[in-house]
Amino acid sequence: MPSDGLQELFDRHVWGHFTTIKLPGVDSYRIMERGEGCYVWDTDGNRYLDGLAGLFTVQVGHGRSELAAVGAAQAETLAYFPLWSYAHRPAVELAARLASYAPGDLNRVFFTTGGSEAVESAWKLARQYHRMMGKPHKYKAISRYLSYHGTSLGALAITGVPAFREPFEPVTPGGFHCANTNQYRCYLCAGSCNLGCATDIEQMILREGPDTVAAVFVEPVQNAGGCFTAPDEYFAEIRAICDRYDVLMVSDETICAYGRLGEMYASTRLGYQPDIITSAKGLTSGYSPLGAMIVSDRLAEPFIGKDVSFMHGFTFGGHPVSCAVALANLDIIEREGLLDHVKANEAGFRAALEGLRDLPIVGDVRGKGYFYGIELVKDRTTKESFSKDESRDLLRGFISNRLLELGLLCRADDRGEPVIQLSPPLIAGPEQFDEIAGILRTLLTEACDRIGLDRGA
Ligand code: PLP
C-alpha cells in the first residue's frame, strides 16, 4: 500500500524517540502498518521479520485479535477509572495473578504505565520505606555501568549510560554506577572469575556509606552493552551483599519478565529472590501500555494500618483496558505453553547465532532465553573493537539500513561496543531462527568485506 504522503507528514511533524530528525526525504524512517505473528509490514508493503518483538515487547506476536477484542470489551464496560482511592476488577485480578507468579513474598503490585515509571516507583518506594524504618538517609541507588533503566530524571540517574544523562545534567542526585557483568571483556578478574563485579557493588556501598544506600538495581540479563549475562554465583552474592547492608535488591525485569527468559519472572529462572521486581513491556505484549512494580510484603508492612500512604501515583497506572489485556496476554502465554516453548527452543536459537562465529567480525554471542547479543570486533584474536567513528559508520551507516533492506528488524547498538541484538516474539521457532541467521550471514559477510576483514582467516 502506498504511504499516501505519510512520510512527508512524519518528516514535518513527528519527533521520534531517541532518533535524529533527518532532513526531509533523506533516510526516512519506515512507517509500520500491520503485523501478523513474527512479521510486520510497512506502508510500502515491505515485510520484515520482527527480531526485536517491537522493542522487547510483543511476546505473543502481532495480530492477536483476541487481545484487541478483550481491550474493546473492557473499554465498553469501564474504559477508565483510577487506582487512586478506587480499584477496578481487571487491576485486582491482575495484581493477584502477578503475585501468584512472583517469587517468595512478592505479593503487592503497584501499577504504572511503563518501565521508567516502574523503576522510578521502586526508587521512591525504597526511599520512603527506609525513612519509615527510621533510616531517612538511605536514599542512594546503585546500578551498573551501561545499564538502561529508563528516561525520567530519577530513572535516568539509575541508567548507567553517560551519554543519555549528559544533556540533562544534573539528573536526580543519588545514582551511582558499578561494574557490569561483561564477561567477554572482564577487567576485574584475571582469567578466573572471582565475582569482582559483585564485589564492586559492595565496595561502592562501603565507599558511599551503607547508611546512605537505599537500593541496588540489576537486570537479570543486562540489555544495554549487548545482553550481558552474569556469572553463576553473581545474583546470590548481590542478595547477600544487600542483606548485609540493609539495601533493597531490585530486579529490573522490564525486558526479561513474562517469558523472555523462559519463566514469568527472570529471577525465578536465575534462582534469586529480589525485594522488588520492576516490569512492563511483555506484560501486555504491547497491545496496551502497562508497567508493574511487584513488592515484597515486608516492604508494604510499615504502610499497613497507618495513616501514611506511598506518596506516589499516575493517572493511567493500572489502566483498566491495559490490565484486561494483560490478563488475556498471560492466558495466551499459559495456554500456548510459551514458557516451555522458549526453554525448549533457546538452545536452537543460540546455535543458529553461534553458527555465525566463522565470520571474523563475530567476537561474542551471548544471552539467554530469547534474548541474544552478537558483539562485533575488528580482530577476534585480540578482541580489538572499532573506534567510535568506525562503529558509527558500521552500525548506523551500513548495518541498520542493510538490515531493513534484508527484511530483519533487530537492534544495532553502539552504546557500548558494537552489538546486534535479537529478542523475537516468544512464538518464534526454528523457521525464524534460520531466517535470522541467513540474513545475518549475508549482512555480516558484506560488513567483513566492507571493512576489509579476511574471511579466510
Ligand atoms: N528498564 C529496563 C531494563 C528497560 O529495558 C527499559 C526500556 O527498555 C526501561 C526500564 C524503561 O522502560 P520504558 O521505556 O517503558 O519507560
Side-chain angles (χ1 to χ4, degrees), residues 98-418:
L98 299 186
S100 77
Y101 298 135
D105 67 346
L106 270 60
N107 289 315
R108 197 162 286 270
V109 180
F110 183 93
F111 288 112
T112 67
T113 67
S116 300
E117 286 178 2
V119 168
E120 189 98 17
S121 302
W123 195 7
K124 288 181 76 174
L125 178 63
R127 288 174 170 214
Q128 194 178 347
Y129 166 78
H130 285 303
R131 185 172 283 268
M132 290 179 72
M133 298 302 283
K135 297 183 176 178
H137 304 297
K138 276 172 111 42
Y139 72 94
K140 295 174 185 170
I142 292 177
S143 58
R144 302 173 306 178
Y145 178 61
L146 271 185
S147 61
Y148 182 82
H149 294 283
T151 50
S152 55
L153 284 175
L156 189 59
I158 300 173
T159 286
V161 189
F164 289 0
R165 291 196 307 271
E166 193 268 332
F168 311 105
E169 296 283 6
V171 296
T172 303
F176 294 84
H177 304 100
C178 290
N180 56 41
T181 58
N182 182 350
Q183 299 182 78
Y184 180 61
R185 296 180 183 278
C186 179
Y187 59 90
L188 293 161
C189 309
S192 83
C193 179
N194 60 13
L195 290 183
C197 45
T199 309
D200 199 46
I201 289 180
E202 179 163 32
Q203 292 300 320
M204 181 67 87
I205 293 174
L206 290 172
R207 268 200 307 280
E208 287 303 313
D211 290 347
T212 70
V213 181
V216 169
F217 287 74
V218 286
E219 273 174 280
V221 173
Q222 183 179 314
N223 172 38
C227 301
F228 296 140
T229 57
D232 283 346
E233 301 302 320
Y234 176 81
F235 289 108
E237 188 60 22
I238 298 296
R239 176 73 270 171
I241 292 167
C242 287
D243 289 344
R244 202 144 53 234
Y245 303 107
D246 190 19
V247 168
L248 302 182
M249 181 180 183
V250 182
S251 186
D252 184 2
E253 306 197 11
T254 300
I255 288 179
C256 293
Y258 310 117
R260 180 62 49 204
L261 300 195
E263 292 288 350
M264 281 297 182
Y265 294 108
S267 35
T268 307
R269 177 83 198 265
L270 300 179
Y272 64 92
Q273 178 64 51
D275 298 301
I276 299 176
I277 290 175
T278 48
S279 70
K281 295 187 184 271
L283 174 54
T284 60
S285 282
Y287 283 74
S288 196
L290 187 64
M293 164 173 76
I294 306 148
V295 177
S296 155
D297 286 333
R298 196 166 43 83
L299 305 189
E301 232 287 316
F303 293 84
I304 295 174
K306 307 249 172 58
D307 192 18
V308 180
S309 45
F310 177 33
M311 294 298 255
H312 183 60
F314 305 100
T315 300
F316 287 149
H319 192 284
V321 171
S322 300
C323 290
V325 168
L327 285 162
N329 177 56
L330 295 168
D331 286 345
I332 293 175
I333 291 177
E334 288 194 359
R335 193 175 68 226
E336 299 186 5
L338 293 182
L339 304 183
D340 287 342
H341 175 79
V342 168
K343 282 185 283 202
N345 284 279
E346 65 182 326
F349 187 16
R350 187 183 193 111
L353 302 177
E354 294 276 359
L356 300 166
R357 278 193 188 265
D358 60 306
L359 295 166
I361 197 170
V362 174
D364 195 23
V365 177
R366 56 188 178 239
K368 203 170 184 64
Y370 269 25
F371 188 31
Y372 291 99
I374 300 172
E375 182 167 331
L376 307 180
V377 291
K378 222 152 105 175
D379 185 326
R380 219 181 359 203
T381 315
T382 60
K383 298 185 184 174
E384 182 187 351
S385 192
F386 298 92
S387 69
K388 273 287 158 218
D389 284 347
E390 288 170 335
S391 190
R392 194 172 302 119
D393 177 55
L394 184 65
L395 289 180
R396 298 188 206 172
F398 173 64
I399 288 182
S400 297
N401 291 328
R402 191 71 181 114
L403 276 168
L404 289 170
E405 286 168 8
L406 292 167
L408 174 62
L409 303 179
C410 60
R411 174 171 272 181
D413 192 15
D414 61 355
R415 284 175 286 190
E417 308 302 338

Side-chain angles (χ1 to χ4, degrees), residues 10-22 29:
F10 172 90
D11 288 346
R12 176 67 191 90
H13 297 295
V14 178
W15 203 325
H17 298 209
F18 282 109
T19 44
T20 47
I21 301 177
K22 303 280 184 182
Y29 299 105

Side-chain angles (χ1 to χ4, degrees), residues 414-445:
D414 61 355
R415 284 175 286 190
E417 308 302 338
V419 286
I420 291 176
Q421 282 182 288
L422 295 145
S423 156
L426 307 185
I427 54 171
E431 193 186 322
Q432 283 75 36
F433 306 153
D434 287 350
E435 194 175 339
I436 288 170
I439 290 175
L440 290 181
R441 176 163 292 283
T442 303
L443 172 88
L444 296 177
T445 302

Side-chain angles (χ1 to χ4, degrees), residues 17-38:
H17 298 209
F18 282 109
T19 44
T20 47
I21 301 177
K22 303 280 184 182
L23 290 173
V26 178
D27 227 3
S28 287
Y29 299 105
R30 311 281 161 125
I31 299 175
M32 296 304 171
E33 182 137 86
R34 69 187 177 90
E36 191 67 44
C38 293

